[in-house]
Amino acid sequence: MPDVRVTNTIAGRDAFLRVLSDEGVVKMFGNPGTTELPIMHALSSAPEMGYVLGLQEAVVIAMADGYARASGKLVSCNVHVAPGLGNAIGSIYTSLMSGTAMIVTAGQQEQGHGLTEPLLYAPLVPIAQPVVKWAVEVNRIEDLPRILRRAAKVATTAPTGPVFISLPGDILNNEAAIDLGSVTRVDTAVRPSDAALEQLARRLLSAKNLVMLAGPEIADSDAFAEAAELAETLGVPVWHQTVGYGAHFPSEHPCYLGALNRDQKRVRAILSEYDLMLCVGSDVLQMSVWSEVEPLPETTRVAMIGLRDWEMGKNFPAEIALRADVKETLKALIPVLKKLGGAALTDKAKANIAAFASKNWSAQRAQRLKALAPPVAGEPLPPEWVMARLTEALPKDGIVVEEGLTSTMALPHYLAYRDRKSFFGNVSGGIGWGIAAAVGIQIAEPARKVVAVIGDGSAMYSITALWSAANQKLPVVFIITNNEGYQILKNRLKLFHGNDTPIGMDFNDPPMNVTKIAEGFGVTAERVTTADGFDAALKKSLAKTDGPTLLEVMVKKV
């Protein structure tokens, strides 16, 4: 009888890494357990897949999220079975909100063994489903490449986001002759029809008072230049969307007036001046706490450009909603506007821009710096002073990662967004993201200095990320603003309930010493209590290139 044995077999674990590599994944962030050992075994012979260890699954996902947002690359995250996936859910939720393209995997007990409900077992797909674009378990080794290819396609197709794959041990350890498939990418860099562009152009030109709302798709599509040119062509004021979690428009542009916040009354007052709001790749006035006041005045109509069609007409109707890539649309729209508007538009735009000079972001920044009071000796440092000094010392190509809540409220008034990677913030509101995301962002941008400004409360959610920064020898500067508590909750308790005696919101019994914690993770750290001390420590930290630094800055409770 002839020998019909198949010789071109491959183990599931090796096929997994080979397909990921072919899909462009060059970094895997993980925290392994026993069910992930097949992948860890395969990694020993796949050095091209750079593995970054996090000490808890929420940290793993947040590091990967920062890396993917800064690099624009698909990223892999490997977490441990049911409890590990549970730990990761909050961070995966943040990645879903930011549209981060990532493949999250977890090892699962061998098929059949799971039926006995062993220690750590639970069905993984239902746990992940609410916070991902797609969730699936591999049931046949022959399906592994097809599932991975589909996952990569789903994660990277706009609107992008995380996907989840459950990997049973037998799938990873078995061998088979399988077709590894090939890459598919869906090109979403599309522009509207000529008729739609002309309709939008005529509507914009007919508005009496037009305003532009800038959002994350300007950064995602690398459309800083096009967005600036659109504002100049129309001579319109530009505001940053209400949830400012990225650099969405060049701050120093003469048309930029600043960031809207999540105060419905303030936003409504600002927008009441305008009869048409053009949302360029933005959310439409996403808020936080409830208010009886609607942020959008009835007299302000809406037009939208972007790929996230869920946002279009979600809460407020849009007269025109174009599901298209921001960069490609603006490149096609601007010539139409110039042609239809002619010399009259050029003259009007120049006059409008000249009128912004006294009230745009740059003018506001200069006024705030002039009025900024110096710190008082013997008192904790004012957070606004710290933000101003930080932005003045930061290199022009520096990157700021922010999750300081109350202590960083003034940061948008001082930090210039000079390119789409100059600022990264927390999109979901779930704290603990920032200190870990900074690690991934620095890995993605090794030539740029990353400074992470994190509140003491946020830092404690993911403090083990400091070890990963030290382990990777990353020159991140962590500035932990220590006001000894959850200051935002204390402020809101007083504002919403008239209660000025908070319970369970202070960290002063015993007092927290973040400096010593950081030193325990191998990070050079210093506690700062004076203005001169802050300036000197910051200068030294920014110059350090051989590993991370942490500055624990004692700040006022504001």
Side-chain angles (χ1 to χ4, degrees), residues 486-503 505 557-558:
Y486 294 128
Q487 190 61 42
I488 190 170
L489 293 182
K490 290 191 275 187
N491 292 350
R492 287 182 172 181
L493 183 68
K494 183 176 180 180
L495 178 64
F496 299 154
H497 300 281
N499 185 338
D500 201 18
T501 55
I503 295 173
M505 300 178 192
K557 302 174 177 64
V558 295

Side-chain angles (χ1 to χ4, degrees), residues 305-319:
I305 303 166
L307 287 169
R308 296 176 299 160
D309 54 352
W310 179 253
E311 287 298 320
M312 297 176 174
K314 182 176 73 175
N315 295 321
F316 305 103
E319 278 190 21

Side-chain angles (χ1 to χ4, degrees), residues 367-423:
Q367 292 163 10
R368 292 185 79 107
L369 282 171
K370 188 176 180 180
L372 191 61
V376 177
E379 294 184 4
L381 297 175
E384 183 167 348
W385 180 89
V386 172
M387 297 304 106
R389 298 298 285 179
L390 165 63
T391 57
E392 289 179 339
L394 192 71
K396 282 194 174 292
D397 68 343
I399 297 172
V400 172
V401 182
E402 180 272 323
E403 196 182 302
L405 302 181
T406 54
S407 58
T408 54
M409 288 182 67
L411 182 63
H413 297 294
Y414 295 101
L415 177 63
Y417 303 153
R418 296 192 174 100
D419 64 69
R420 65 192 179 109
K421 295 184 180 182
S422 55
F423 174 74

Side-chain angles (χ1 to χ4, degrees), residues 234-254:
L234 291 166
V236 296
V238 180
W239 289 90
H240 206 281
Q241 70 172 37
T242 52
V243 181
Y245 61 86
H248 305 156
F249 193 87
S251 308
E252 294 163 316
H253 191 278

Side-chain angles (χ1 to χ4, degrees), residues 74-366:
L74 178 65
V75 69
S76 170
C77 308
N78 193 36
V79 300
H80 180 45
V81 79
L85 179 59
N87 287 340
I89 289 295
S91 288
I92 300 174
Y93 169 78
T94 295
S95 298
L96 181 67
M97 294 299 102
S98 61
T100 302
M102 66 167 62
I103 296 176
V104 181
T105 56
Q108 176 63 292
Q109 280 89 354
E110 288 76 6
Q111 297 177 99
H113 183 48
L115 182 64
T116 69
E117 297 188 356
L119 190 67
L120 302 175
Y121 174 78
L124 300 182
V125 170
I127 296 173
Q129 270 178 327
V131 292
V132 296
K133 289 184 69 179
W134 183 52
V136 66
E137 181 167 285
V138 185
N139 300 128
R140 296 193 315 152
I141 187 173
E142 292 84 359
D143 295 332
L144 177 61
R146 177 173 289 166
I147 285 173
L148 280 170
R149 299 294 186 183
R150 186 180 300 176
K153 185 266 295 186
V154 170
T156 58
T157 300
T160 55
V163 298
F164 172 76
I165 304 174
S166 171
L167 298 171
D170 53 312
I171 298 294
L172 294 174
N173 287 320
N174 288 348
E175 294 187 7
I178 53 179
D179 180 358
L180 296 185
S182 57
V183 175
T184 297
R185 287 293 180 270
V186 178
D187 184 355
T188 57
V190 294
R191 47 149 286 187
S193 67
D194 291 341
L197 287 170
E198 182 170 342
Q199 180 192 19
L200 176 60
R202 291 189 183 279
R203 181 65 183 92
L204 297 177
L205 293 172
S206 70
K208 294 179 181 179
N209 290 294
L210 176 66
V211 65
M212 177 173 156
L213 194 63
E217 292 185 59
I218 292 175
D220 294 343
S221 64
D222 194 13
F224 251 48
E226 289 78 9
E229 186 180 357
L230 176 67
E232 290 170 20
T233 299
L234 291 166
V236 296
V238 180
W239 289 90
H240 206 281
Q241 70 172 37
T242 52
V243 181
Y245 61 86
H248 305 156
F249 193 87
S251 308
E252 294 163 316
H253 191 278
C255 290
Y256 184 66
L257 299 192
L260 297 179
N261 62 15
R262 295 185 294 281
D263 179 338
Q264 285 92 327
K265 292 180 180 178
R266 174 179 180 268
V267 172
R268 186 180 181 90
I270 289 171
L271 295 181
S272 64
E273 299 180 28
Y274 309 107
D275 64 312
L276 181 63
M277 177 172 67
L278 175 63
C279 299
V280 182
S282 71
D283 295 332
V284 188
L285 310 181
Q286 184 182 22
M287 293 294 158
S288 178
V289 298
W290 178 85
S291 170
E292 73 281 358
V293 176
E294 286 280 17
L296 184 72
E298 292 79 5
T299 52
T300 306
R301 304 302 182 188
V302 177
M304 301 189 68
I305 303 166
L307 287 169
R308 296 176 299 160
D309 54 352
W310 179 253
E311 287 298 320
M312 297 176 174
K314 182 176 73 175
N315 295 321
F316 305 103
E319 278 190 21
I320 298 175
L322 302 183
R323 190 184 189 281
D325 177 75
V326 166
K327 187 183 185 78
E328 294 301 315
T329 301
L330 298 189
K331 282 164 60 177
L333 175 64
I334 291 167
V336 178
L337 287 167
K338 289 180 177 178
K339 180 181 178 181
L340 294 175
L345 176 61
T346 302
D347 293 342
K348 179 183 177 182
K350 287 181 179 179
N352 286 353
I353 293 171
F356 300 151
S358 62
K359 59 182 180 180
N360 63 19
W361 181 87
S362 297
Q364 292 177 51
R365 185 181 191 276

